[in-house]
Amino acid sequence: MSLYRTLSAASTSSELPLLNNTDPLNDPLGADAVNIHDTDDLSLSAVDDSSKPSSFVNTPASVSSISSEDGLDRPLVDLDTLYGGQFAGVKLPPKGSPERNEMERRLKLRIDMSILPIVIAMYMLNYLDRNNIAAAKLGSLVEDLNLTGMQYSSCVSILFVSYTLMQIPSNLILEKVGHPSIYLPAAMTIWGMLSMLTAIVTGYRELLCIRFLIGFAEAAFYPGTVFYMSCWYTKYEIAKRSAIFVCGSWISGAFSGLVAYGVLENLEGTLGLSAWRWLFLIEGTITVTVALIAMPILPNLPATTRWLSKEERLLGVLRMIEDVGQQDEDSAADPVSSTRNPSSKFESAMAGFMMAVRDPKVLTILQMMFSLAMTGGINTVFPTIVDSLGFSRPTTLLLTAPPWILCSVTSVINSFHSDKTGERCMHMLWGPCLALLGFLICVVTTSTFLRYIAMLFLLQIYNSWSLGFAWMATTVPRPPIKRAAAVAFVNIGGNIPNIIVPFLFYQGSEPKFYLGFGVCALFAVFGMLGALALKSQLKRLNVKLERGGKVDGLDGSTGFRFIY
């Protein structure tokens, strides 16, 4: 007998409407349910997020429900049919009870400790392997390979061509495969090995080919990880964790200069190899090692992580259902869906992609993130910009670190505060504002002191970058195949500027770089306008939900609201 048939003694006079066992979403949900805003404290799992006010309270022992006008708890899912019935008979403490809160706190701590340290390390190496060519340029790479300025810029940009092409297919594959603990480290192993092969190139064509292949492998990581984290964390938990994850990039930006300094200054000529070749060998070897370590540690999706107990897996699933008021319409984690034939999987993937590109919200986010990426594209040439200050090579490499360290600190603070307040738009705006100020300083003066202060401002654009993807993941909550496609689609737009920006800071335009600084400043303004436009869209959609309408298949009566 279904667990949803269990009623409290106080409500035996009314029959609880049961969900159709073949379609656990048929039953209309209570009209008065309100999903009260979780104001998560500035911590991760050490603080009990689930202790905050919620309408998902007083539930039967093993179900999630919402309260309706007649006082009954309406179930969101039927455990007898959820994920092929693997959770039938599993019981959890009622939502809101001290036992449930403690269980949820322990689960989040366990997942945090399994995901965050690994993906931070992976992202650090992702960034290093993608951008170590800029540090190698400060060595003898250009001279050894006889590269012209245009050829070097092409080698920098070509990676982002393949990176852009592969992102949507990669994310759709990940959503259907449903095993991120294997998929993401496997991609990392491939790009690490390709990075090592960069050490043996002898000319322009070989370098161009290797960089193109690295882009294909790296395309799986960032959008895949954003989608992966959105399957584990609710909309009031994901921004802070996304910021901590993206800190891997900022930290690697700081330490890449320090690592490059150590290698370029001390390994020149060792075993007959140029120092820049050692740079690719060392960083590629570390990448492959970390990828192999990550495979047994990373969890899969909530329903398929075998080292969690059934109760923990069920709790992970229910947390995401409660976050939006309904079950995912499709999931690669569902054993039932995994039995579909290949053609239906392909059709599902294409349908998800078409839903994403036709969604006005996704298109607004694309415009916003493209603009921010045009501004933030300076990361591909940052050592060159710092080099224009006129310092020696060791000093230049060391001076690249402080702006990235400052960016890491401010990005985490910004995202933690955004999660705590439940506000996104204003937290998105101050990064482009500071970057715009930095670009204006660079345009009007060549003073070494003022320009270095400006460089501290320029990288603040990345405060908005990490928060923007967290905002997007919660703005496209269902179905997951659409969310996977949307994350990749937007990240494509966010990486096209990396193809363009190196050509704006072309050889011979230093130290003023008027064209590069001017274009980046203009797109900082466009990025702010995009954030304001998205806020306006989401406000209108929330009004529609409050009036009982539906958005993206979500019923306003579930209590779901977009955050802006």
Side-chain angles (χ1 to χ4, degrees):
M1 182 174 65
S2 171
L3 292 166
Y4 294 104
R5 299 182 187 274
T6 304
L7 295 177
S8 64
S11 60
T12 53
S13 60
S14 300
E15 178 65 22
L16 177 63
L18 296 179
L19 297 178
N20 187 314
N21 284 341
T22 61
D23 183 1
L25 299 179
N26 277 346
D27 190 61
L29 301 175
D32 293 339
V34 178
N35 190 358
I36 298 175
H37 169 198
D38 285 307
T39 52
D40 202 0
D41 291 333
L42 295 185
S43 63
L44 295 178
S45 300
V47 175
D48 183 6
D49 298 322
S50 61
S51 63
K52 300 172 185 65
S54 173
S55 64
F56 297 92
V57 296
N58 194 30
T59 62
S62 61
V63 303
S64 278
S65 61
I66 58 174
S67 299
S68 62
E69 290 180 344
D70 55 11
L72 295 178
D73 291 320
R74 305 295 188 192
L76 296 178
V77 292
D78 187 341
L79 299 191
D80 288 348
T81 60
L82 182 65
Y83 291 104
Q86 66 167 291
F87 298 119
V90 179
K91 295 186 178 182
L92 295 179
K95 173 73 175 177
S97 67
E99 295 82 4
R100 167 72 181 265
N101 293 343
E102 176 60 21
M103 186 176 181
E104 193 164 341
R105 186 193 69 81
R106 289 198 308 268
L107 175 64
K108 284 189 291 182
L109 177 60
R110 195 171 181 188
I111 296 304
D112 285 339
M113 292 301 101
S114 300
I115 292 179
L116 292 178
I118 294 296
V119 296
I120 289 171
M122 293 173 75
Y123 201 17
M124 288 177 65
L125 294 164
N126 177 271
Y127 183 90
L128 283 175
D129 292 334
R130 189 189 316 166
N131 294 292
N132 50 15
I133 191 172
K137 183 188 179 186
L138 298 178
S140 59
L141 177 140
V142 172
E143 294 78 10
D144 291 352
L145 302 183
N146 297 313
L147 299 178
T148 65
M150 185 60 69
Q151 286 176 333
Y152 171 77
S153 294
S154 297
C155 289
V156 172
S157 297
I158 194 68
L159 181 147
F160 296 99
V161 174
S162 53
Y163 186 84
T164 298
L165 292 173
M166 190 60 189
Q167 288 195 33
I168 290 177
S170 175
N171 248 29
L172 295 177
I173 291 169
L174 173 59
E175 199 281 335
K176 284 303 171 186
V177 169
H179 292 283
S181 66
I182 298 174
Y183 188 79
L184 298 177
M188 186 180 186
T189 301
I190 294 171
W191 89 62
M193 295 176 68
L194 290 169
S195 182
M196 294 168 65
L197 289 176
T198 309
I200 65 173
V201 300
T202 58
Y204 166 64
R205 288 185 177 85
E206 293 173 8
L207 180 61
L208 194 71
C209 181
I210 288 289
R211 294 280 296 173
F212 185 77
L213 294 176
I214 289 175
F216 270 124
E218 290 202 352
F221 181 69
Y222 185 80
T225 303
V226 172
F227 170 70
Y228 174 38
M229 293 177 69
S230 74
C231 295
W232 278 103
Y233 298 112
T234 68
K235 60 178 172 287
Y236 295 114
E237 299 167 349
I238 194 171
K240 66 170 70 68
R241 289 165 175 88
S242 294
I244 292 173
F245 155 58
V246 174
C247 268
S249 173
W250 316 156
I251 293 169
S252 69
F255 285 98
S256 63
L258 303 179
V259 171
Y261 169 75
V263 173
L264 296 179
E265 291 298 308
N266 297 296
L267 293 181
E268 182 64 42
T270 301
L271 298 180
L273 296 177
S274 299
W276 66 267
R277 296 185 187 274
W278 281 110
L279 185 65
F280 286 107
L281 278 173
I282 292 171
E283 292 181 355
T285 301
I286 295 172
T287 296
V288 173
T289 302
V290 171
L292 296 177
I293 293 172
M295 283 190 183
I297 296 176
L298 286 176
N300 281 310
L301 301 179
T304 57
T305 301
R306 296 307 175 191
W307 47 261
L308 292 177
S309 68
K310 272 196 174 183
E311 289 76 14
E312 289 173 321
R313 295 202 301 271
L314 175 58
L315 180 58
V317 170
L318 291 183
R319 275 168 33 83
M320 303 315 297
I321 294 173
E322 292 164 355
D323 189 41
V324 297
Q326 71 175 50
Q327 183 184 352
D328 282 357
E329 294 178 23
D330 69 285
S331 176
D334 190 334
V336 174
S337 68
S338 66
T339 63
R340 297 172 184 166
N341 61 61
S343 63
S344 67
K345 286 189 175 185
F346 174 77
E347 290 167 4
S348 175
M350 291 306 299
F353 171 71
M354 295 308 299
M355 282 190 287
V357 299
R358 291 172 179 170
D359 189 339
K361 303 191 303 299
V362 174
L363 298 180
T364 302
I365 296 169
L366 174 64
Q367 180 273 322
M368 176 181 72
M369 297 305 290
F370 176 86
S371 300
L372 296 179
M374 279 295 296
T375 307
I378 55 167
N379 79 86
T380 60
V381 292
F382 196 65
T384 301
I385 295 174
V386 178
D387 187 45
S388 71
L389 297 177
F391 294 106
S392 64
R393 184 177 73 182
T395 303
T396 296
L397 290 169
L398 293 174
L399 284 176
T400 60
W404 286 112
I405 294 172
L406 177 63
C407 175
S408 300
V409 174
T410 55
S411 180
V412 170
I413 292 173
N414 186 48
S415 293
F416 269 53
H417 192 262
S418 177
D419 263 1
K420 183 176 179 63
T421 60
E423 200 281 335
R424 293 289 190 256
C425 184
M426 295 308 296
H427 289 80
M428 288 285 296
L429 294 180
W430 74 272
C433 282
L434 287 177
L436 179 61
L437 176 61
F439 286 121
L440 294 177
I441 293 173
C442 289
V443 167
V444 301
T445 182
T446 56
S447 164
T448 299
F449 174 75
L450 290 178
R451 276 217 165 177
Y452 190 70
I453 295 300
M455 288 172 195
L456 296 174
F457 292 158
L458 295 185
L459 296 186
Q460 294 304 307
I461 188 66
Y462 287 107
N463 289 299
S464 301
W465 180 256
S466 59
L467 185 59
F469 271 96
W471 194 8
M472 184 201 62
T474 57
T475 300
V476 188
R478 292 292 183 270
I481 193 69
K482 176 185 176 182
R483 187 169 72 248
V487 169
F489 181 53
V490 171
N491 202 42
I492 285 176
N495 278 281
I496 289 175
N498 289 319
I499 304 172
I500 303 169
V501 171
F503 294 98
L504 301 178
F505 293 85
Y506 56 90
Q507 188 172 341
S509 64
E510 67 276 355
K512 295 182 179 179
F513 297 114
Y514 284 148
L515 176 63
F517 288 141
V519 171
C520 290
L522 179 63
F523 276 94
V525 176
F526 290 158
M528 289 185 279
L529 294 176
L532 293 171
L534 180 59
K535 176 180 179 178
S536 177
Q537 276 183 298
L538 297 182
K539 286 180 71 174
R540 291 196 301 271
L541 292 176
N542 276 354
V543 170
K544 182 177 179 180
L545 288 169
E546 288 163 3
R547 292 174 177 172
K550 286 189 175 183
V551 177
D552 293 344
L554 295 169
D555 192 332
S557 65
T558 65
F560 174 81
R561 299 293 183 269
F562 295 102
I563 58 175
Y564 50 81

